[in-house]
Amino acid sequence: QQPVQSPQAVILREGEDAVINCSSSKALYSVHWYRQKHGEAPVFLMILLKGGEQKGHDKISASFNEKKQQSSLYLTASQLSYSGTYFCGTTVAGTYKYIFGTGTRLKVLA
Amino acid sequence: NAGVTQTPKFRVLKTGQSMTLLCAQDMNHEYMYWYRQDPGMGLRLIHYSVGEGTTAKGEVPDGYNVSRLKKQNFLLGLESAAPSQTSVYFCASSYSVSGAGANVLTFGAGSRLTVL
């Protein structure tokens, strides 16, 4: 039931781009993205709503395709501060359970 | 504005001991959640609550109990701790969005529990 994220881990050089995908076996009505730095709590990045809306946060943007039950997070011109683990989060359809994807570890090197 | 506060931050238990983790939020959020996070693993939902006096099981509820007697507090109890419950526990809260479940979650700083 947990959304599956890909890739599991990625290493980038500063300035490179990355895409993180989140796929669900169940219908998604909205998707949230969070970033967790090592030893800290997850922090909200952005929300994606039905209709394929793209939301931006600095040089991080995302898309949501409810038909394919997928969301993607785009990190452009990555910075050292982007390092961390990224999670997608969503409410399980028909319930009040809020669950997270499997996570993607991102490391940006100088 | 404190947001979500978890106590204690660290605790070491012996197998079979009991303990309670406290989560307090001052944002008047209806929804509250308890997750556990193990090394290299994601966040797994233990229990959650959609309002004062209500609780429900998440994905990994066995060995844990919860209570929400006051809207601002959500307690997670371990009646008989086991080494498999060694983990970092995160509490989170959210306001609801009509017809769409939870909105953005705000997390506490986490509680690191070690069971020997």
Side-chain angles (χ1 to χ4, degrees):
Chain A
Q1 199 173 31
Q2 190 177 23
V4 177
Q5 292 182 226
S6 62
Q8 285 185 310
V10 58
I11 300 175
L12 301 173
R13 293 280 180 190
E14 264 188 304
E16 292 181 339
D17 302 339
V19 180
I20 299 172
N21 300 302
C22 172
S23 295
S24 174
S25 59
K26 306 243 179 193
L28 296 172
Y29 297 106
S30 68
V31 176
H32 306 132
W33 284 95
Y34 296 79
R35 177 170 61 207
Q36 183 180 29
K37 301 268 187 182
H38 183 70
E40 299 179 8
V43 173
F44 168 74
L45 284 178
M46 66 184 68
I47 182 172
L48 281 300
L49 304 172
K50 286 176 68 174
E53 293 181 52
Q54 290 199 8
K55 298 291 182 180
H57 175 83
D58 197 8
K59 291 180 181 165
I60 300 174
S61 61
S63 63
F64 178 31
N65 186 324
E66 64 263 30
K67 275 189 178 179
K68 291 185 178 179
Q69 297 170 181
Q70 290 179 344
S71 177
S72 295
L73 189 71
Y74 307 95
L75 300 97
T76 57
S78 59
Q79 307 167 15
L80 293 176
S81 62
Y82 287 3
S83 292
T85 302
Y86 290 78
F87 294 99
C88 59
T90 188
T91 299
V92 177
T95 77
Y96 294 102
K97 292 182 185 180
Y98 191 95
I99 60 174
F100 289 89
T102 49
T104 296
R105 282 177 283 114
L106 179 79
K107 188 168 181 65
V108 180
L109 302 175
Chain B
N1 195 351
V4 179
T5 303
Q6 292 182 229
T7 52
K9 288 186 168 46
F10 301 94
R11 185 74 188 268
V12 178
L13 289 177
K14 293 182 179 178
T15 297
Q17 287 185 320
S18 63
M19 75 156 297
T20 300
L21 296 175
L22 171 63
C23 177
Q25 53 98 0
D26 61 4
M27 297 171 286
N28 203 35
H29 285 172
E30 295 96 341
Y31 295 2
M32 295 187 76
Y33 307 84
W34 276 107
Y35 295 90
R36 63 176 288 174
Q37 186 173 37
D38 302 301
M41 303 277 289
L43 294 145
R44 294 185 289 171
L45 180 63
I46 305 171
H47 286 282
Y48 64 100
S49 167
V50 299
E52 181 179 313
T54 71
T55 63
K57 293 181 180 180
E59 308 294 289
V60 289
D62 293 342
Y64 304 95
N65 56 73
V66 289
S67 65
R68 192 158 178 210
L69 299 178
K70 293 183 178 180
K71 185 176 184 179
Q72 63 267 34
N73 296 336
F74 195 29
L75 279 63
L76 178 71
L78 286 73
E79 289 187 348
S80 179
S84 60
Q85 294 178 303
T86 293
S87 189
V88 178
Y89 292 85
F90 286 102
C91 175
S93 71
S94 169
Y95 60 90
S96 63
V97 176
S98 178
N103 206 310
V104 174
L105 268 61
T106 300
F107 283 85
S111 298
R112 184 174 296 274
L113 176 66
T114 302
V115 183
L116 302 176

